[in-house]
Amino acid sequence: MLGSESGPVRHEVLTWADVDRLIDILIPQIRAVGSSDGMIMITRGGVIPGGMLSEALGIYHLLTAAVDFPAKASVGLMALPTFIQFPDTALITDRKLLLVDDVWGSGRTSISVRERVIAAGGRPSTCVLHYNPHRSLFTREQPTFYGAVTDAFIVYPWEVDRGLRNIGMGVPEAN
């Protein structure tokens, strides 16, 4: 698959063991700043890492947010988000919330959810498995917590079939 003018996009296919290692990297970072009152998992990518982190950190107040950005080329990356699903303000106000997604690419999704949580009176911190500073539209922003920095297109184990088909690769054979 070709990337931008800078050349082909590198792809990285992760295993469940890779994801476990990333979760193990995130846990002490998150614990170092104290407990959270709850978590907002950003769908769909944040559901599985959010579940893993909530179990490990003992977070039981779990919420979801679904954000969509128009795919129109004329609007580009500056399109405003549409919140398909977002927790009621009463569930956010005065709570320290961990916002979880799989990857921070452009940063639009995490920033949009973070800003809406702040507007509702919550105190958010952002958390992703992978941070791609090369793609981020926010040069002065980054996730509060991240497991790894990358410049690759990441395919997580829960999306292997879908992810590999979309990049013109076959599903890896089992050993």
Side-chain angles (χ1 to χ4, degrees):
M1 178 176 197
L2 293 181
S4 64
E5 297 170 1
S6 62
V9 175
R10 186 173 66 84
H11 292 85
E12 188 173 336
V13 179
L14 299 187
T15 65
W16 285 105
D18 296 329
V19 173
D20 283 340
R21 281 189 287 278
L22 291 166
I23 296 294
D24 288 344
I25 290 168
L26 287 165
I27 290 169
Q29 291 178 47
I30 297 166
R31 282 188 176 147
V33 299
S35 63
S36 293
D37 300 319
M39 176 185 292
I40 297 178
M41 297 176 284
I42 301 172
T43 67
R44 291 183 333 200
V47 172
I48 292 174
M52 295 171 78
L53 285 167
S54 69
E55 187 68 31
L57 297 168
I59 299 173
Y60 299 102
H61 183 77
L62 304 176
L63 306 165
T64 58
V67 184
D68 183 47
F69 288 90
K72 296 177 183 175
S74 62
V75 178
L77 293 174
M78 302 315 288
L80 294 175
T82 299
F83 288 91
I84 300 165
Q85 177 185 18
F86 201 81
D88 186 80
T89 301
L91 300 172
I92 295 172
T93 304
D94 295 326
R95 288 184 186 253
K96 182 179 173 186
L97 298 167
L98 185 63
L99 312 181
V100 180
D101 206 351
D102 54 357
V103 65
W104 175 303
S106 69
R108 296 183 309 164
T109 303
S110 292
I111 293 288
S112 296
V113 173
R114 182 191 73 185
E115 293 306 305
R116 183 143 176 201
V117 168
I118 290 170
R123 297 180 314 277
S125 55
T126 55
C127 176
V128 294
L129 296 178
H130 287 92
Y131 167 47
N132 188 334
H134 312 285
R135 285 194 53 224
S136 183
L137 298 174
F138 303 90
T139 57
R140 296 180 187 198
E141 301 277 355
Q142 68 180 36
T144 312
F145 310 107
Y146 53 91
V149 174
T150 188
D151 63 353
F153 178 87
I154 303 295
V155 180
Y156 294 98
W158 54 87
E159 61 186 8
V160 157
D161 183 43
R162 179 178 54 87
L164 294 178
R165 280 181 305 179
N166 290 337
I167 62 175
M169 295 174 65
V171 177
E173 293 181 20
N175 292 346

